[in-house]
Amino acid sequence: MTSRWIDIPADDGGRFQGYLAVPESGSGPGLLLLQEIFGVNAHLRAVADLYAEEGYVVLAPDLFWRLEPKVDLGYVETDVARARELLGRLDIDRAVADCGAALGALRRLPECRGKIGALGFCLGGRLAYLTAARHHVDAAVSYYGTGMGPLLGEAGAIRCPMVFHIPEKDRHLPPPVREAIADAFAGRDDVQLFVYPGAEHGFNVPARAAYDKPASLMAHSRSLAVFRAALGPKYDLPALWERHTELEFATRDARATMKTMVAEPYVNHIPTMTGGVGQDDLYRFYANHFIPKTPADTKLVPISRTVGVDRLVDEMLFCFTHDVEIDWMLPGIPPTGRYVEIPLVAIVRFRGDRLYNEHIYWDQASVLVQIGLLDPEGLPVAGVETAKKLVDEGLPSNTLMARWAESAPERKA
């Protein structure tokens, strides 16, 4: 992706600036990104870059420009005080008008093609709601919007799909306000409100103490779902994943495999914690420890596939002969020549049309049993039986439970 600052003409005269992030493709649907009280700072620019990777043309307007141009604050105490002082002087209605001007500028960009959504955090969460109410957008997402209670009379003006992300412990969005938001949109199945247990205001910002990575990841996927449905773009995730695995297991080309991934990808094989983070580390892993260290007769047998908005889950049988030291699965174990079949699950996340990460799960105990390194006697583990039962649910269950027979119903004479 590329980024730059652009000029935006205000509707009452004057000009202000906005940070523009453009996807690698050079064009896409538009996204108006609305700031926290900290300005168009490093966090907001990182969000813009992220959504550009997802395929959007993102414009983050400088909405404090009438007070001070290009405010860029962090999260230390003095910056928080400065941000609150700026918020206290902000004319919200003028800021919403500036959001409308920024929408117009975004629509006029040659890179912006198709529909436009609005996304905002904190102050920006409030502004995303008001922009959806007062200007035309095709979808809107509000993260922990402040000052929402008095504004809910405008809910009826919102005609597009919308998502509200609400931290459970956010004092700006206590239960009565959450309930008021839900009531304002009662009967609207295209408006969703998600509460994040244990999360606090600002949970999406890595630089803040309130950062909650699981909540942040879940909220991003939910946001992306509403934007993909309303704006596009659409990507064929199964085709992208199948091309990636073809390059890994058939073509066996590490460099080509890496080209299917984002600039900073990662892979984690959960049972053995093998893989890599970043281009250099992951290429080193693929080129030296994965592709040449995977048995030649490896076979993937699909069992099921679930496709979401930004990820794919494959359930499969992974079959191979242990005729090479498999660095990534059995590091340090010499080849035994034994044949192995195991259930394996791959959870693959995408950004736009590239793979971002892979979490790969399998039962390591079953592998060790099948190569003769672990004696299953007296242990709650199984060998190839786990693979057989995945395919044939009619095979016996509970064979490892010594007390299973005790619960059998008595037979009547």
Side-chain angles (χ1 to χ4, degrees):
M1 48 78 60
T2 59
S3 64
R4 65 184 189 273
W5 288 87
I6 66 168
D7 286 333
I8 301 168
D11 62 358
D12 61 345
R15 305 179 75 83
F16 59 107
Q17 289 199 304
Y19 178 82
L20 180 71
V22 177
E24 184 181 10
S25 64
S27 64
L31 193 61
L32 187 70
L33 177 60
L34 304 173
Q35 68 180 62
E36 297 176 302
I37 61 175
F38 305 97
V40 183
N41 65 355
H43 168 250
L44 204 75
R45 296 193 300 273
V47 173
D49 294 348
L50 168 62
Y51 274 92
E53 279 196 282
E54 297 285 13
Y56 298 95
V57 177
V58 187
L59 178 61
D62 171 18
L63 298 175
F64 280 163
W65 72 281
R66 297 174 186 272
L67 308 174
E68 180 182 322
K70 297 183 79 171
V71 170
D72 185 348
L73 298 173
Y75 304 97
V76 298
E77 187 175 340
T78 53
D79 282 356
V80 172
R82 175 68 175 141
R84 288 174 176 165
E85 184 270 331
L86 287 164
L87 176 63
R89 295 194 289 125
L90 182 70
D91 182 329
I92 291 295
D93 290 330
R94 278 266 35 110
V96 178
D98 288 341
C99 290
L103 273 175
L106 181 56
R107 288 194 176 100
R108 291 190 294 271
L109 289 173
E111 296 95 335
C112 183
R113 299 180 182 176
K115 298 180 178 180
I116 295 178
L119 165 66
F121 301 82
C122 182
L123 164 64
R126 186 195 326 180
L127 294 173
Y129 166 83
L130 290 172
T131 298
R134 300 181 190 180
H135 305 285
H136 174 68
V137 294
D138 298 288
V141 172
S142 170
Y143 276 74
Y144 34 83
T146 56
M148 292 293 298
L151 302 170
L152 292 175
E154 300 192 45
I158 295 176
R159 298 302 180 196
C160 66
M162 186 159 189
V163 167
F164 294 90
H165 298 303
I166 298 180
E168 180 190 24
K169 296 183 178 180
D170 191 342
R171 62 183 176 84
H172 299 289
L173 288 161
V177 175
R178 299 176 210 165
E179 292 163 10
I181 295 172
D183 290 344
F185 291 98
R188 288 280 302 272
D189 59 7
D190 62 341
V191 178
Q192 298 172 287
L193 188 153
F194 297 105
V195 177
Y196 296 83
E200 300 179 2
H201 189 84
F203 71 73
N204 194 67
V205 186
R208 299 184 71 169
Y211 180 54
D212 185 326
K213 187 173 182 179
S216 177
L217 292 173
M218 184 67 75
H220 178 69
S221 291
R222 287 167 168 169
S223 301
L224 201 59
V226 73
F227 288 137
R228 287 278 191 260
L231 317 177
K234 309 294 185 186
Y235 297 110
D236 188 345
L237 303 188
L240 296 171
W241 171 234
E242 287 165 11
R243 176 59 177 161
H244 178 82
T245 55
E246 177 188 12
L247 292 168
E248 287 179 307
F249 295 105
T251 309
R252 296 193 170 227
D253 185 331
R255 190 66 69 187
T257 298
M258 293 301 301
K259 289 181 180 179
T260 68
M261 309 188 83
V262 299
E264 289 298 311
Y266 79 86
V267 168
N268 185 9
H269 297 110
I270 306 297
T272 53
M273 298 182 293
T274 55
V277 178
Q279 276 284 334
D280 294 342
D281 202 34
L282 189 54
Y283 173 73
R284 172 185 168 191
F285 172 75
Y286 275 141
N288 299 289
H289 303 282
F290 184 78
I291 289 176
K293 297 296 184 178
T294 296
D297 71 343
T298 294
K299 181 171 62 173
L300 309 180
V301 181
I303 300 295
S304 70
R305 172 170 287 173
T306 304
V307 182
V309 65
D310 63 348
R311 67 198 65 211
L312 174 154
V313 179
D314 257 3
E315 180 187 29
M316 66 188 84
L317 288 182
F318 191 80
C319 312
F320 63 91
T321 300
H322 185 214
D323 56 6
V324 64
E325 182 177 331
I326 309 175
D327 287 354
W328 57 274
M329 177 180 276
L330 291 164
I333 306 300
T336 61
R338 297 200 181 192
Y339 182 71
V340 176
E341 291 185 3
I342 53 167
L344 184 144
V345 174
I347 301 172
V348 187
R349 186 177 171 199
F350 298 81
R351 282 187 183 168
D353 61 352
R354 304 284 177 88
L355 274 74
Y356 170 47
N357 68 46
E358 300 172 35
H359 292 168
I360 312 295
Y361 297 80
W362 68 84
D363 179 1
Q364 186 73 342
S366 180
V367 178
L368 297 177
V369 167
Q370 292 183 63
I371 65 170
L373 206 60
L374 178 64
D375 184 353
E377 186 65 30
L379 296 174
V381 300
V384 73
E385 298 84 3
T386 64
K388 301 299 184 187
K389 186 167 175 57
L390 178 61
V391 177
D392 183 359
E393 70 275 9
L395 293 174
S397 298
N398 306 318
T399 56
L400 298 176
M401 292 170 53
R403 298 178 58 188
W404 176 244
E406 297 175 14
S407 66
E410 295 184 5
R411 293 185 178 182
K412 295 181 179 181

